[in-house]
Amino acid sequence: MFTPLRLIFLNSKPSQRDRRFPAKKRSLELQSEIGTLLTVQQEDTIIALATPPGSSALALLRLSGPLSHVIVSELAGRSLNSGPAHYVKLRHEQEILDDVILTLWSRPRSFTGEDVAEISCHGNMLIVQTLIQAATQRGARPARPGEFSQRAFLNGKMDLTQAESVIDLIHARSERALRAARAMQEGLLGQQLETARETLLQMLSHLEAYIDFPEEDISPDVGQNFITQMEATRQLLSRLLLGAREGRLLREGVSVALIGQPNAGKSSLMNALLERDRSIVSARPGTTRDTVEEVLMLEGIQVRLIDTAGLREAEDEVEQLGLARTSRAMATADLLLWVSDGSRVEEALDPALFPPGTPVLRCYNKADLPLAQARTKDALAVSSVTGQGLAELRQALIKTLQLNQQAASLDAVAINARHQSLLTQADLALSEALELQHRAAAPELVSSHLRQALHALGELIGQVSNEDILDRLFQNFCLGK
Ligand SMILES: Nc1nc2c(ncn2[C@@H]2O[C@H](COP(=O)(O)OP(=O)(O)O)[C@@H](O)[C@H]2O)c(=O)[nH]1
Ligand SMILES: [Mg+2]
C-alpha cells in the first residue's frame, strides 16, 4: 500500500535530538517541499474495453469517473449503486442492447479510486461499440491506453512501481516473470524505497536544522551516525540494483544469432529447437536471405533465436542485404550459435567477424551423418534430423547465458531500466554525500547531495514527477488497463 510521507512523519516518534533542534519543523517543511503528491482531480468519465477485441463468450467494459454510475443506471433504466452484481438489460434509444452483469464500486474503494462500473456483456464487437457509443453520448469519453492505472496512481491507490507492475503482470510469459511482477505489485520495491527515503529525509532535516542554527556544531557522534545511516542506505540501494539483470532478462529476454556457412543447417537447427517449421530449409545454399526471429522459452526467459543468411560472398543484391542484416544481428546478439556442417569439410569462419565479448557456442550439425571434420573441443554434436544433442544444446545455452542464475539477493526485485537509472543516480549522489561527510565538509554540501538522492528516489515511486513523464510512462499500457 502506498504510504504518503505525511503519515510517516506524523507517526514517527520525536527523538531526543528533535527536541534539541528544530529538525522536526524542518522535516515537515521538507516533506511538503520534496514529497509533493500530485493530486489532480479527474473530471472526465472514461470508458474502454478491458478484454481483447473479437468474438468471445464475454467482453468486459470498464467505466471510471464521476458519471460512471449515472451512465449505467440510465442504460439499465433504474438507479443503481454499488453492491453485489446486478443482472440487467441495457437499453439505448428504446432498443435492448444486451443483457449484462453490472458491477459497481463507489469511490474511493475501487481500482482507480473513483466511481467505477464494469459491464460484462456478450463478446460481440457490435454490442461493445454500441455500448461505448451509448456511454459517450451520456458524457463519457474513450479512455487512453493506461488511463485507468494512471488514475489509480494519481489517486494514491498505488505507487508508480506498482502501477508499472500492471504491464509486467499482463505481459508475463512465464511463471518466473509472473512471480516477479507479483512481487512488484505487492509493493516490495516501493516499501524498500520508502525506508530509504525516510532515513534520508530525517538526516536532511537534521542537517538543515544545523544549517539554520550555525551556533550549534554537529557533534562527532551525530556525524558518525550520519555516516552509518548513509552506508546502510547505500547497501540497500546496491541490493536493489542487483535486481536489474533479472528485470532485463524477464522483460527483454536475450537474443541468440545462428551463424555459419550456407547449408550448415542453421535454419533446420532453429526449427528443431523450436519444434516447429519456422524457417525455410533448402538444399540450395543461400536460401535464407532475411533474418528470421522466433522466441524459444528457456528457464522462463524469452530467448529470441535469429536465423541468419549464411556468411559467404553474396552473389546478388538481395543476398547482400541479407548479409548486412546478419552483421547487424551478430552485433546485437547476446550469444552467437556457430553452426557447422560436420559431414563436410568446410571453411571455418573468421573469428575476426565476431563482435568482441560476445560468447560463441559452437556446434557441429548433421551428426546423423559420418563425421568429416575434426571437432574442436567443447563443440557439441547435434542433428536437426534425429534430434541428437538438442537437449545438451539447450543446457549449454542456459549455462552460457546464465539463465538459471537466481537473483543474487533475496529481496532484489526485478527492476526495470527506469528504476535502474534512478537508483544509480541516488546511489551516486549518496556516495558523494558520504565522501563529504567523511571529510567533515560543510553541512550545506552534504545536504545538497542528500537532496539529489531523495529527488531520484521520489521520482522512482512517483512522489516527485512531472505530468509529461507520467503520460509517457502510462502510454505504454494497453487500452482498458
Ligand atoms: N542429414 C542431415 N541433414 C541436415 C541436417 N540439418 C540440415 N540438413 C540439411 O542440410 C540442408 C541445408 O539446411 P538449411 O537448414 O537450409 O541450412 P542453412 O543454409 O544453414 O540454413 C538441407 O537440405 C537440410 O535438409 C541434419 O542434421 N542432418
Ligand atoms: Mg537457412
Side-chain angles (χ1 to χ4, degrees):
M1 196 54 212
F2 184 53
T3 328
L5 270 172
R6 210 166 296 132
L7 294 180
I8 291 167
F9 274 86
L10 294 180
N11 292 341
S12 63
K13 287 198 196 79
S15 68
Q16 285 294 329
R17 216 164 284 120
D18 284 336
R19 264 179 249 130
R20 279 205 289 136
F21 299 108
K24 185 81 187 169
K25 183 173 154 276
R26 184 72 192 123
S27 109
L28 286 170
E29 283 163 17
L30 272 173
Q31 47 110 346
S32 66
E33 177 190 326
I34 297 177
T36 341
L37 257 177
L38 276 171
T39 39
V40 184
Q41 197 53 50
Q42 305 294 321
E43 306 261 302
D44 295 358
T45 298
I46 51 174
I47 181 165
L49 179 65
T51 43
S55 306
S56 53
L58 296 172
L60 189 83
L61 278 161
R62 177 144 68 171
L63 282 133
S64 181
L67 287 180
S68 43
H69 291 185
V70 179
I71 291 172
V72 291
S73 296
E74 272 183 35
L75 293 175
R78 63 187 161 105
S79 169
L80 296 166
N81 299 309
S82 52
H86 307 274
Y87 173 65
V88 293
K89 288 191 194 320
L90 297 187
R91 285 185 174 77
H92 177 52
E93 290 163 359
Q94 268 83 55
E95 227 179 294
I96 293 180
L97 285 178
D98 195 12
D99 44 339
V100 305
I101 300 286
L102 280 179
T103 318
L104 288 85
W105 288 267
S106 293
R107 59 185 275 267
R109 301 178 62 139
S110 70
F111 172 69
T112 57
E114 306 173 331
D115 282 347
V116 166
E118 281 181 5
I119 308 174
S120 185
C121 63
H122 289 100
N124 176 315
M125 285 307 107
L126 285 173
I127 297 176
V128 167
Q129 271 156 23
T130 319
L131 279 173
I132 291 180
Q133 222 172 33
T136 47
Q137 279 174 17
R138 287 169 171 80
R141 69 159 171 81
R144 291 187 298 269
E147 210 173 354
F148 291 92
S149 305
Q150 187 166 10
R151 289 185 173 199
F153 162 71
L154 289 173
N155 290 322
K157 283 286 169 180
M158 49 175 95
D159 73 27
L160 204 49
T161 67
Q162 287 172 305
E164 284 173 302
S165 73
V166 174
I167 323 183
D168 292 338
L169 201 62
I170 293 165
H171 293 302
R173 284 188 57 179
S174 67
E175 279 180 30
R176 181 168 166 183
L178 265 180
R179 230 177 291 129
R182 279 238 69 91
M184 187 88 80
Q185 180 119 83
E186 294 293 320
L188 227 61
L189 180 59
Q191 282 156 21
Q192 298 185 72
L193 291 170
E194 202 61 82
T195 311
R197 261 173 70 83
E198 196 184 346
T199 312
L200 295 185
L201 248 162
Q202 292 195 353
M203 268 193 287
L204 188 60
S205 36
H206 282 298
L207 263 178
E208 303 216 335
Y210 281 116
I211 295 168
D212 292 344
F213 297 87
E215 65 275 13
E216 305 265 10
D217 269 350
I218 300 183
S219 70
D221 58 316
V222 172
Q224 187 51 50
N225 193 17
F226 279 178
I227 288 176
T228 316
Q229 288 188 325
M230 285 189 226
E231 271 167 355
T233 309
R234 277 203 75 193
Q235 266 169 27
L236 170 67
L237 300 186
S238 313
R239 271 209 310 280
L240 290 175
L241 278 164
L242 288 179
R245 191 187 116 87
E246 179 79 358
R248 202 163 38 246
L249 275 183
L250 289 176
R251 289 188 190 86
E252 293 163 31
V254 288
S255 64
V256 170
L258 285 91
I259 54 159
Q261 299 287 1
N263 250 357
K266 300 176 294 299
S267 302
S268 310
L269 187 58
M270 165 142 148
N271 292 340
L273 281 170
L274 293 169
E275 294 172 331
R276 75 197 117 131
D277 281 349
R278 175 65 178 86
S279 210
I280 299 171
V281 170
S282 155
R284 243 185 63 208
T287 319
T288 310
R289 292 168 161 220
D290 203 348
T291 48
V292 176
E293 260 193 62
E294 195 62 42
V295 169
L296 171 72
M297 293 300 283
L298 287 178
E299 298 286 318
I301 304 293
Q302 300 187 46
V303 179
R304 282 192 311 285
L305 295 178
I306 308 164
D307 184 20
T308 66
L311 286 162
R312 63 158 190 178
E313 291 290 302
E315 278 168 7
D316 58 38
E317 205 186 334
V318 183
E319 207 177 342
Q320 239 167 34
L321 286 172
L323 286 182
R325 293 203 176 174
T326 301
S327 316
R328 225 176 304 144
M330 281 174 67
T332 55
D334 295 294
L335 182 141
L336 302 176
L337 183 56
W338 177 1
V339 187
S340 302
D341 181 346
S343 71
R344 273 191 326 123
V345 181
E346 43 155 58
E347 211 182 310
L349 297 181
D350 180 3
L353 290 170
F354 305 158
T358 309
V360 180
L361 199 61
R362 189 155 188 200
C363 65
Y364 288 85
N365 189 27
K366 312 195 188 180
D368 52 298
L369 300 176
L371 189 70
Q373 50 172 312
R375 276 202 278 137
T376 27
K377 217 169 110 288
D378 299 335
L380 291 163
V382 297
S383 168
S384 329
V385 173
T386 64
Q388 177 195 332
L390 289 184
E392 288 84 354
L393 177 56
R394 283 199 186 87
Q395 283 312 313
L397 286 171
I398 291 169
K399 191 166 166 241
T400 317
L401 290 162
Q402 303 179 341
L403 300 183
N404 54 355
Q405 217 173 62
Q406 290 303 312
S409 149
L410 273 181
D411 48 6
V413 192
I415 58 172
N416 66 28
R418 189 185 75 87
H419 305 148
Q420 188 184 10
S421 137
L422 288 165
L423 280 172
T424 310
Q425 273 178 39
D427 188 48
L428 216 71
L430 199 53
S431 89
E432 279 168 37
L434 190 59
E435 161 85 26
L436 289 163
Q437 187 62 42
H438 269 300
R439 288 196 275 119
E444 285 86 349
L445 291 176
V446 181
S447 98
S448 113
H449 286 99
L450 281 184
R451 263 172 190 272
Q452 282 172 29
L454 261 169
H455 198 275
L457 296 184
E459 203 172 312
L460 228 162
I461 43 178
Q463 287 206 320
V464 230
S465 45
N466 72 44
E467 253 174 288
D468 288 352
I469 294 176
L470 284 181
D471 281 346
R472 234 175 303 140
L473 198 137
F474 282 102
Q475 269 159 24
N476 296 325
F477 281 56
C478 12
L479 205 62
K481 293 293 159 336

